[in-house]
């Protein structure tokens, strides 16, 4: 940078004056003449570059890889000898001059990384080229702003989140044009002074499907850069690849030609995943296509490498005390408006981010797309934002189509708002002593719908919530048809949502059912039945608030259970068990049930239930849990109807061998044998010092329980079965099988929803398996099978203990 002459002159004069004041011998000098002071010269002015014509661009300049001291300018042109000149905005300083480096195999795309810049500084820049005749070409002045360092006095940053900029239908070509012109340039900055975009917006994130076909050069030039050319010279683009970007381009050659993110990802995957830091925000770009399965070739190795890199990146963020960590990838973990778009691999990335939030207290989140709708939600146990950032061009899902509704949409508890429409999202981060992030969704894009009004807003701001709930109903003896839970709090208007938990153990040590989400929060925007849905495929379809007028502090549990299934773990089940088989790429280690079915909450006669509640405020902060409360459900419970269910007779009393060999064994004081769950004995398959039948390889025993004495109540639908067992294996290879058959008076099997095999792969540790269900009419006896199949070794390592069968009525 050119040294300011006036500054140097001032330093020289100061030195001269100080020297004179400090030398007492000069004060009595008879020579009192005034020294000659040179005249202040005119300031040096470095004019901007000038030419008669601008460069002939194929793609206008755009910005990549922002940081505190670097910015990369990219463009595409057939002109030669490209350069980027940059200096502080509005100054007369000397320019930094960087030659463009070729960034494509054909030499048309150029990359000019500007380094050693000042943080939090607005720069003006020009792109210079030479045409075929050797004439100089120069752009108008553009601008960018470097990101701040701590100490720069920056306390706020604004990021824009969009997704699915691809153009899959010509009728939507206007949408991204309007989003840029009437949204970004008009609402977020002053279109007459475009440098304000650089000052107001830190970056624009695009969560994949950047173009329609990744291998089509025209799509990159026209669909993305052509429609965003008004803002891309001023605001960096932060992108991740989607499935469309891979289409026809399995190696992402064109994606990597046009995009140049920071090279801090795994070796060999630098363009696939990376991170950027803006003060206390870490923004992590990830690639969900290779791990998606249904919309990409599932690649287990890529998932493992990316997941390990993510863990290391999050650990580094934790060391640096990052207050905000946001991930972005294309395929959704859960997707309300298009279930086919979900990915188990994406859910694993989400789980890592949630764990970071739970571990550190930071606000986390993830941006995705793939589904061409806006959806916003929050995790149940952590301050984690779910944001479907689409759509700014991809087609709107047909929410008024009964076939699409029946086959593709789900009103998940995790999401609070889903809107099938065009628009963009603005995230404003506050980095001061009270950190927060506020999301505003702005609707619009199609012609006639360009007001970009705010249709959703939420703030995540960590703070203490002292709104402690206390029970006002839901205790004592209750009828199954009238279980009403209710709490009161000191500030009811501040409650955004309530989380209820119900268990059958006083200390909540067994299965705990969460009731949280659509029916327990202030709003839930989703869609009515298809024939009743208003709107259209241009301006979007009209969502409805299913929670209009609901009293959040009351829960009609009886009615709720008639309307829906409350499964253990709630939406966690849908993370790991997708609707379509092609999406279930693998059994995730994050799924504690490992693909097994989860129990459902049922109100069983003669049973005691315990419950508690907590409330969340509008800034997503939970209160502490209330005290534990108890209610008893009217009705009776029989004693255990199974004979010798705990094997403590030391033999098969009460049981009949159906195939192979079943034994009662003891593991007391033997380190090489499993100990009983309780008592001394438990059931196993063949071996263990007993017979090895010649047939191979299934061992089964059964017991039949006569329930004809309850036939009137059974036939009137008033009886529940409760069957429980402790099950284990030695090494998870041999397969235990617990089966219940309901028989009519002629011993014919009656179908019911809990039929089939129930199993466990628990290794040398007892797992409780429970089957609870209403008994269908006509049942006169219950047949319980235990046993299983040997897959290796001499002994059949399938273990059962503490079996019980009760009727609840």
């Amino acid at each position: 940078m050119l040294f300011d002459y006036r500054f140097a002159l001032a330093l020289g004069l100061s030195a001269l004056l100080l020297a004179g004041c400090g030398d007492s011998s000069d004060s009595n000098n008879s020579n009192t003449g005034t020294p000659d002071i040179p005249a202040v010269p005119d300031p040096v002015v470095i004019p901007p570059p000038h030419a008669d014509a601008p460069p002939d661009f194929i793609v206008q300049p755009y910005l990549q890889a922002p940081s505190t001291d670097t910015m990369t300018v990219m463009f595409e042109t057939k002109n030669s000898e490209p350069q980027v000149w940059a200096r502080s905005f509005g100054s007369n300083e000397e320019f930094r001059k960087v030659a463009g480096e070729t960034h494509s195999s054909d030499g048309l795309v150029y990359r000019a990384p500007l380094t050693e810049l000042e943080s939090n500084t607005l720069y003006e820049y020009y792109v210079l080229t030479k045409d075929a005749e050797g004439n100089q070409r120069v752009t108008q002045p553009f601008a960018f702003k470097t990101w701040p360092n701590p100490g720069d006095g920056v306390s706020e940053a604004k990021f824009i989140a969009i997704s699915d900029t691809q153009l899959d239908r010509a009728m939507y070509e206007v949408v991204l044009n309007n989003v840029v012109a009437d949204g970004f340039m008009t609402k977020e900055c002053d279109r007459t002074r475009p440098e304000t975009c650089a000052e107001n917006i830190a970056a624009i994130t695009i969560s994949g499907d950047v173009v329609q076909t990744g291998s089509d050069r025209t799509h990159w030039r026209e669909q993305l850069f052509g429609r965003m050319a008004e803002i891309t010279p001023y605001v960096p683009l932060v992108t991740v690849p989607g499935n469309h970007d891979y289409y026809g381009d399995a190696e992402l050659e064109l994606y990597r030609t046009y995009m140049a993110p920071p090279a801090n990802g795994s070796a060999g995957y630098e363009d696939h995943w990376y991170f950027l830091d803006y003060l206390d925000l870490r923004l992590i770009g990830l690639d969900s296509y290779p791990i998606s399965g249904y919309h990409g070739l599932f690649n287990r190795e890529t998932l493992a490498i990316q997941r390990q890199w993510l863990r290391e990146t999050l650990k580094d963020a934790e060391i640096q005390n990052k207050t905000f960590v946001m991930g972005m990838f294309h395929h959704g973990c859960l997707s309300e408006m298009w279930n086919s778009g979900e990915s188990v691999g994406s859910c694993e990335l989400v789980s890592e981010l949630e764990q970071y939030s739970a571990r550190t207290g930071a606000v986390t989140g993830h941006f995705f797309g793939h589904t061409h709708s806006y959806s916003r939600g929050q995790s149940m146990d952590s301050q984690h934002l779910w944001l479907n950032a689409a759509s700014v061009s991809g087609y709107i899902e047909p929410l008024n189509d009964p076939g699409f509704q029946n086959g593709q949409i789900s009103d998940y508890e995790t999401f609070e708002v889903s809107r099938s429409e065009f628009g963009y999202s603005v995230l404003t981060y506050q980095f001061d002593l009270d950190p927060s992030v506020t999301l505003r969704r702005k609707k619009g894009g199609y012609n006639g719908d360009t007001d970009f009004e705010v249709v959703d807003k939420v703030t995540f701001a960590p703070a203490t919530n002292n709104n402690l709930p206390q029970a006002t109903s839901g205790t004592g003896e209750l009828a199954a048809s009238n279980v009403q839970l209710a709490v009161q709090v000191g500030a009811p208007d501040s409650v955004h949502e309530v989380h209820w938990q119900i268990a059958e153990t006083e200390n909540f040590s067994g299965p705990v059912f969460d009731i949280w989400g659509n029916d327990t929060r202030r709003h839930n925007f989703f869609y009515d039945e298809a024939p009743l849905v208003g709107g259209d495929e241009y301006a979007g379809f009209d969502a409805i608030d299913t929670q209009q007028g609901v009293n959040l502090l009351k829960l009609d549990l009886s009615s709720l259970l008639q309307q829906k299934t409350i499964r253990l773990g709630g939406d966690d089940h849908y993370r790991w068990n997708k609707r379509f088989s092609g999406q279930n790429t693998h059994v995730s280690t994050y799924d504690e049930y490992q693909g097994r079915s989860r129990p459902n909450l049922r109100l069983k006669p003669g049973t005691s239930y315990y419950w508690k509640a907590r409330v969340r405020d509008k800034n997503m902060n939970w209160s502490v849990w209330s005290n534990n409360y108890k209610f008893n459900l009217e009705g009776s419970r029989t004693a255990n109807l199974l004979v010798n269910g705990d094997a403590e007779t030391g033999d098969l009393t009460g049981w009949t061998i159906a195939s192979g060999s079943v034994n009662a064994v003891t593991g007391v004081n033997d380190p090489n044998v499993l100990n009983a769950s309780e008592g001394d004995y438990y059931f196993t398959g063949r071996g263990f010092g007993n017979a090895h039948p010649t047939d191979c390889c299934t061992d089964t025993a059964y017991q039949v329980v006569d329930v004809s004495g309850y036939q009137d109540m059974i036939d009137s639908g008033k009886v529940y079965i409760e069957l429980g067992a402790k099950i284990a294996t030695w090494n998870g290879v041999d397969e235990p099988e617990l089966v219940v058959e309901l028989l009519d008076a002629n011993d014919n099997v009656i179908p019911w929803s809990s039929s089939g095999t129930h199993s466990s792969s628990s290794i040398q540790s007892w797992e409780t398996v429970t089957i609870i269900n209403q008994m269908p009419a006509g049942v006169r006896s219950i047949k319980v099978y235990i046993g299983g199949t040997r897959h290796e070794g001499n002994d059949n390592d399938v273990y059962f203990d503490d079996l019980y069968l009760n009727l609840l009525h």
Side-chain angles (χ1 to χ4, degrees):
M1 184 179 294
L2 185 66
F3 193 65
D4 193 317
Y5 179 82
R6 289 171 295 178
F7 181 68
L9 179 61
L11 287 177
L13 286 172
S14 298
L16 180 62
L17 291 171
L18 288 172
C21 292
D23 189 350
S24 59
S25 64
D26 288 344
S27 63
N28 297 322
N29 195 312
S30 60
N31 183 3
T32 58
T34 303
D36 292 334
I37 299 176
V40 177
D42 293 334
V44 177
V45 176
I46 306 296
H50 175 73
D52 293 334
D56 184 14
F57 286 119
I58 302 171
V59 170
Q60 292 281 336
Y62 59 99
L63 303 173
Q64 290 280 282
S67 77
T68 58
D69 58 0
T70 62
M71 186 70 76
T72 297
V73 179
M74 297 185 69
F75 47 87
E76 184 176 11
T77 181
K78 291 182 179 179
N79 291 169
S80 60
E81 301 181 37
Q83 288 185 308
V84 173
W85 291 17
R87 66 182 178 186
S88 297
F89 190 87
S91 73
N92 294 319
E93 300 170 351
E94 185 176 353
F95 283 96
R96 299 168 181 266
K97 300 175 182 178
V98 177
E101 308 166 353
T102 56
H103 201 253
S104 61
S105 57
D106 59 9
L108 296 179
V109 178
Y110 290 91
R111 172 180 175 269
L114 297 163
T115 60
E116 299 181 353
L117 303 174
E118 297 294 326
S119 64
N120 193 40
T121 300
L122 185 67
Y123 284 86
E124 64 184 35
Y125 72 96
Y126 301 78
V127 179
L128 293 74
T129 65
K130 288 186 177 179
D131 61 22
E133 289 73 34
N135 298 315
Q136 188 75 54
R137 300 286 192 100
V138 179
T139 64
Q140 67 187 71
F142 297 118
F144 64 78
K145 190 172 186 179
T146 51
W147 286 4
N149 272 318
D152 283 342
V154 175
S155 61
E156 180 178 294
K158 181 188 294 184
F159 286 74
I160 290 178
I162 59 176
S163 187
D164 294 73
T165 46
Q166 89 258 28
L167 181 61
D168 43 32
R169 296 182 184 178
M171 60 188 261
Y172 294 136
E173 183 175 0
V174 299
V175 174
L176 186 53
N177 293 328
N178 292 338
V179 167
V180 171
D182 298 316
F184 301 164
M185 303 302 297
T186 303
K187 299 292 185 179
E188 314 308 328
C189 45
D190 182 350
R191 195 175 187 183
T192 64
R193 295 174 53 242
E195 68 273 10
T196 58
C197 295
E199 294 182 300
N200 296 350
I201 308 168
I204 298 172
T205 65
I206 307 178
S207 301
D209 278 5
V210 183
V211 295
Q212 175 67 7
T213 305
S215 62
D216 192 322
R217 195 74 170 264
T218 302
H219 288 183
W220 288 95
R221 293 167 173 171
E222 297 178 0
Q223 290 186 7
L224 177 66
F225 296 114
R227 294 189 292 168
M228 296 193 69
E230 193 172 2
I231 198 166
T232 52
Y234 302 95
V235 180
L237 294 181
V238 178
T239 67
V240 293
N243 50 292
H244 279 268
D245 307 317
Y246 272 92
Y247 289 169
D249 190 9
E251 300 303 319
L252 285 185
E253 181 179 352
L254 282 183
Y255 178 89
R256 291 184 290 113
T257 291
Y258 284 107
M259 298 301 166
N264 53 19
S266 305
Y269 295 90
E270 294 86 352
D271 296 322
H272 293 259
W273 48 83
Y274 59 90
F275 71 87
L276 295 162
D277 284 342
Y278 187 108
L279 294 178
D280 281 338
L281 164 66
R282 173 156 292 184
L283 182 60
I284 305 174
L286 299 160
D287 186 356
S288 59
Y289 177 75
I291 66 175
S292 65
Y294 198 71
H295 287 88
L297 180 62
F298 176 69
N299 187 313
R300 188 178 301 276
E301 179 182 2
T302 300
L303 174 59
I305 295 172
Q306 182 172 215
R307 191 172 54 203
Q308 180 59 33
W309 175 87
L310 175 60
R311 288 172 175 166
E312 294 168 359
T313 301
L314 291 174
K315 184 63 179 177
D316 179 71
E318 186 172 354
I319 293 171
Q320 297 190 38
N321 295 315
K322 293 297 183 183
T323 306
F324 307 99
V325 176
M326 298 288 166
M328 53 181 293
F329 41 85
H330 185 60
H331 297 77
C333 166
L334 300 175
S335 184
E336 284 202 323
M337 300 288 95
W338 189 39
N339 297 164
S340 292
E342 298 177 5
S343 165
V344 171
S346 293
C347 290
E348 295 185 348
L349 304 179
V350 172
S351 294
E352 288 289 342
L353 291 163
E354 289 175 323
Q355 290 171 19
Y356 178 88
S357 177
R359 192 167 63 243
T360 66
V363 176
T364 59
H366 68 281
F367 314 153
F368 64 101
H370 205 33
T371 305
H372 301 157
S373 300
Y374 167 73
S375 290
R376 187 267 298 172
Q378 53 269 1
S379 295
M380 182 174 68
D381 290 320
S382 58
Q383 283 210 326
H384 181 91
L385 167 69
W386 296 60
L387 173 61
N388 186 339
S391 169
V392 290
S393 192
Y395 74 92
I396 294 178
E397 275 85 15
L399 270 299
N400 60 347
D401 180 350
F404 184 86
Q405 274 212 9
N406 293 334
Q408 288 292 347
I409 74 173
S410 294
D411 192 5
Y412 289 124
E413 312 291 352
T414 303
F415 290 102
E416 181 171 338
V417 180
S418 280
R419 300 175 61 95
S420 186
E421 64 194 18
F422 296 115
Y424 64 95
S425 299
V426 180
L427 292 105
T428 304
Y429 296 86
Q430 299 288 343
F431 300 101
D432 52 21
L433 295 177
D434 296 311
S436 66
V437 56
T438 297
L439 164 69
R440 292 176 177 86
R441 174 65 176 185
K442 300 191 175 183
K443 175 186 181 298
Y446 203 77
N447 284 344
D449 185 26
T450 56
D451 290 337
F452 293 100
E453 62 176 320
V454 176
V455 294
D456 185 35
K457 177 183 175 182
V458 67
T459 296
F460 288 71
T464 301
N465 181 350
N466 294 316
N467 219 8
L468 179 65
Q470 294 180 309
T472 58
S473 70
T475 60
E477 192 85 4
L478 302 177
S481 60
N482 189 31
V483 178
Q484 307 269 347
L485 310 183
V487 295
Q488 63 180 6
V489 294
D493 291 341
S494 70
V495 176
H496 183 75
E497 55 189 8
V498 184
H499 181 187
W500 312 78
Q501 281 192 338
I502 298 178
E504 292 185 36
T505 54
E506 187 172 5
N507 61 358
F508 288 76
S509 59
V512 177
F513 294 91
D514 298 289
I515 303 176
W516 166 83
N518 298 334
D519 301 284
T520 69
R521 60 171 59 109
R522 193 165 296 279
H523 300 287
N524 179 58
F525 286 93
F526 197 65
Y527 282 85
D528 208 336
E529 296 179 4
L532 303 177
V533 172
D536 55 47
E537 60 184 336
Y538 303 103
F541 295 101
D542 302 330
I544 60 171
D545 187 357
T546 64
Q547 285 290 89
Q548 191 72 36
V550 170
N551 184 344
L552 292 185
L553 302 180
K554 293 184 178 181
L555 178 68
D556 187 340
L557 184 58
S558 299
S559 296
L560 185 63
L561 288 174
Q562 291 179 355
Q563 299 165 16
K564 64 194 302 182
T565 297
I566 296 177
R567 181 183 283 108
L568 192 67
D571 280 354
D572 189 63
H573 166 81
Y574 298 106
R575 295 192 189 197
W576 319 119
N577 300 275
K578 297 305 182 186
R579 188 169 187 172
F580 303 101
S581 59
Q583 298 168 283
N584 292 304
T585 50
H586 61 291
V587 176
S588 175
T589 56
Y590 295 76
D591 176 16
E592 63 176 304
Y593 274 78
Q594 292 293 285
R596 301 188 304 275
S597 61
R598 304 183 181 210
N600 300 331
L601 175 61
R602 301 181 185 278
L603 294 178
K604 302 172 296 183
T607 304
S608 296
Y609 292 90
Y610 300 85
W611 66 274
K612 57 185 176 179
R614 60 178 178 171
V615 296
R616 203 176 209 174
D617 63 27
K618 63 180 181 180
N619 291 333
M620 300 299 147
N621 299 295
W622 285 114
S623 70
V624 298
W625 287 102
S626 69
N627 293 329
N628 296 348
Y629 301 101
K630 175 185 176 182
F631 67 85
N632 302 309
L633 213 60
E634 294 176 351
S636 301
R637 175 193 298 265
T638 67
N640 187 358
L641 301 180
L642 290 176
V643 176
N644 192 27
D646 55 8
E648 290 303 308
T649 63
D651 55 26
L652 292 186
T653 298
W655 298 89
T656 301
I657 297 290
S659 63
S661 173
V662 174
N663 310 294
V665 301
T666 182
V668 176
N669 299 323
D670 187 343
N672 297 313
V673 179
L674 184 71
N675 285 321
S677 172
E678 291 185 13
D680 296 332
Y681 290 89
Y682 59 94
F683 298 110
T684 71
R686 70 187 65 200
F688 303 94
N690 296 287
H692 280 84
T694 56
D695 63 318
C696 186
C697 294
T698 300
D699 303 308
T700 309
Y702 67 88
Q703 187 171 154
V704 177
V705 177
D706 181 6
V707 294
S708 59
Y710 301 90
Q711 66 181 36
D712 290 342
M713 287 187 291
I714 291 173
D715 292 346
S716 62
K718 296 180 179 179
V719 178
Y720 282 76
I721 295 175
E722 182 182 52
L723 174 69
K726 298 288 181 63
I727 306 179
T729 71
W730 185 254
N731 57 11
V733 177
D734 295 341
E735 185 178 359
E737 298 170 0
L738 173 67
V739 178
V740 183
E741 290 183 347
L742 305 184
L743 308 178
D744 63 16
N746 298 315
D747 291 337
N748 297 313
V749 175
I750 298 176
W752 72 316
S753 58
S754 293
S755 60
T757 300
H758 302 263
S759 187
S760 171
S761 57
S762 183
I763 297 173
Q764 301 176 42
S765 177
W766 293 102
E767 178 184 1
T768 300
V769 176
T770 306
I771 303 170
I772 303 171
N773 210 337
Q774 188 174 17
M775 196 181 304
V779 175
R780 297 298 178 262
S781 61
I782 303 171
K783 194 172 187 178
V784 178
Y785 290 88
I786 61 172
T789 302
R790 174 173 62 89
H791 293 292
E792 71 175 27
N794 292 322
D795 298 334
N796 190 357
D797 298 302
V798 295
Y799 310 139
F800 293 82
D801 202 358
D802 297 331
L803 288 104
Y804 64 87
L805 173 64
N806 304 110
L807 299 186
L808 313 177
H809 57 89

